[in-house]
Amino acid sequence: MDLPPGRPWPVTLRWRVTGWLLAGVWLFFLNIPLVTALHQAQPWRRAVGVSTLVVFGVLYVLIFQWARGLQQEHPIPAGRARAYVALLVGLGLAGIPGTEGDSLATLVFVAAAAVFMLPLVDAVVVVALSALTPPVAAALVPGWETQSTVAFAVLLASFAMFGVSRLAQRNGELRAAQTEIGRLAVAEERVRTARDLHDILGHSLTVVAVKAELAGRLLELDPARAATEIADVERLARQALADVRRTVGAYREISLTAELAGARSALAAAGIVGDLPDDLPELPAAREELFGWAVREGVTNVVRHSGARRCVILVHPDRVEIADDGHGPSEVDAAAGHGLFGLRERTSRLDGTVTQGRRPDGSGFLLRVSVPAGAAR
């Protein structure tokens, strides 16, 4: 069960968790305005302060996750990004009655969101205004203390988010490049296949057509020669069929070594730690091909469905095992039936067995393909 050409590897659980952490780590800057809001003497001020801060924090995390997910595949729409930044500014201003000057801490999030989502020029303008607002407000509003730490935090968060946004952008570009490379490779392989099949069948089918036409004309005039031509047509058709089978068989050849190398690359790209063997036992050709199919199928399922953090592949003379520490067999079985069905068919040709289910310790998923020691020698 191979991934469709051009389709990127699925998002892993680690990728999702990292996104929530990157968004939530900045929420500690809201602790000071939150404490101020909780200590307001008037209940309505306390309610306004706490509610606006909670809504602000939740909205910021959701906006960050939306922008991060979108940035992996497409540019972030500038119009919606500006609207979201303006909404964050509005919530920060709405919280002033309940948090007083401490609500300026929300400017840290506004600046970070602007750097992550807006074009560079717009982001620089928002960061500059966010950094200048605390000292200017302290000078103009009686009773407000100088918020120099907020201005410093704005600059610090902006620089940090700039690095995060550039990393996300580069990852998106790399994924797009990998998709394009895969698409071009598939297109090139299709062209090569078409060329080879044309070379194999073009001449044979042309001769078949000519001889069949001749046999049709000679059927009444010279039945013996017509029979000879029909025999030649049959011989040429069988030869062409044999050539096609040899060509397709060459395309379907698979190597355990190559599949392990591809598995290592696929697991690394999906953020999954791979524990793969460095040395392989000597295997008969048929068993090596079967184990290669097992590695391909097992690793594809691990990457696509398991949500695992680690994958272990073991290769023995009589079996190969692919194990992970992900969700377990329920999700994998629901989505991977066709690939495992094909693997069972290949295994049955060598009198082997396919075992799938939870690992012996009760967690994760285990795929084992076993072949009798005397098979395929």
Side-chain angles (χ1 to χ4, degrees):
M1 186 178 61
D2 301 330
L3 286 173
R7 178 176 177 178
W9 289 107
V11 174
T12 62
L13 178 62
R14 179 182 299 178
W15 190 92
R16 297 189 184 96
V17 172
T18 301
W20 290 108
L21 291 177
L22 286 174
V25 69
W26 302 104
L27 295 180
F28 76 91
F29 280 109
L30 295 178
N31 65 330
I32 295 178
L34 181 61
V35 171
T36 301
L38 292 174
H39 287 81
Q40 291 289 336
Q42 297 174 295
W44 73 269
R45 290 183 180 274
R46 188 162 55 248
V48 168
V50 172
S51 61
T52 54
L53 288 173
V54 171
V55 173
F56 183 95
V58 172
L59 184 63
Y60 171 79
V61 172
L62 294 178
I63 289 175
F64 182 86
Q65 286 293 84
W66 166 79
R68 183 170 181 257
L70 192 63
Q71 197 176 49
Q72 299 297 314
E73 303 294 338
H74 308 286
I76 298 175
R80 291 187 63 180
R82 293 189 184 98
Y84 286 145
V85 172
L87 182 58
L88 292 176
V89 173
L91 284 172
L93 295 176
I96 290 179
T99 58
E100 301 174 356
D102 292 338
S103 64
L104 295 178
T106 57
L107 293 174
V108 177
F109 301 87
V110 171
V115 170
F116 193 74
M117 297 191 300
L118 296 181
L120 182 59
V121 175
D122 295 354
V124 170
V125 172
V126 173
V127 170
L129 293 176
S130 300
L132 293 174
T133 297
V136 172
L140 297 179
V141 180
W144 280 20
E145 298 179 357
T146 302
Q147 300 287 338
S148 57
T149 56
V150 174
F152 176 76
V154 166
L155 297 177
L156 180 62
S158 300
F159 280 117
M161 191 57 70
F162 179 80
V164 172
S165 63
R166 295 290 82 79
L167 178 61
Q169 181 180 351
R170 295 297 180 267
N171 287 341
E173 294 173 353
L174 178 60
R175 183 173 288 105
Q178 291 174 336
T179 300
E180 181 65 14
I181 291 173
R183 186 189 67 81
L184 293 176
V186 170
E188 182 180 355
E189 183 66 15
R190 286 173 177 170
V191 171
R192 185 170 74 90
T193 302
R195 183 178 62 248
D196 291 348
L197 290 178
H198 176 272
D199 294 341
I200 292 170
L201 295 178
H203 175 73
S204 298
L205 293 181
T206 300
V207 176
V208 165
V210 171
K211 285 183 172 291
E213 183 181 359
L214 177 60
R217 292 199 304 265
L218 295 175
L219 192 59
E220 295 182 358
L221 300 176
D222 191 347
R225 185 178 175 188
T228 301
E229 298 296 337
I230 292 298
D232 285 345
V233 168
E234 181 182 1
R235 179 183 58 79
L236 287 170
R238 292 183 182 277
Q239 181 62 44
L241 179 60
D243 291 340
V244 170
R245 284 174 174 170
R246 281 196 297 269
T247 302
V248 174
Y251 289 146
R252 293 173 62 87
E253 286 180 357
I254 189 170
S255 166
L256 176 59
T257 302
E259 290 302 321
L260 286 172
R264 192 185 305 274
S265 176
L267 292 171
I272 302 174
V273 177
D275 187 357
L276 281 65
D278 294 324
D279 299 321
L280 299 177
E282 291 187 7
L283 299 172
R287 192 181 308 175
E288 180 180 2
E289 181 179 357
L290 173 63
F291 287 0
W293 282 110
V295 170
R296 174 185 290 188
E297 172 65 19
V299 170
T300 300
N301 288 337
V302 169
V303 171
R304 294 187 66 182
H305 308 297
S306 70
R309 293 173 297 176
R310 184 180 183 86
C311 175
V312 179
I313 300 178
L314 300 177
V315 179
H316 301 279
D318 61 339
R319 70 185 185 279
V320 59
E321 298 178 356
I322 302 94
D324 65 71
D325 60 353
H327 303 309
S330 57
E331 290 190 18
V332 177
D333 286 347
H338 295 295
L340 290 176
F341 180 78
L343 182 61
R344 289 192 185 95
E345 284 188 337
R346 295 186 180 92
T347 305
S348 65
R349 296 169 190 163
L350 300 182
D351 298 325
T353 57
V354 176
T355 305
Q356 58 173 340
R358 292 194 178 275
R359 298 164 59 185
D361 60 1
S363 65
F365 185 79
L366 172 65
L367 173 64
R368 179 188 295 117
V369 175
S370 304
V371 178
R377 286 192 176 276

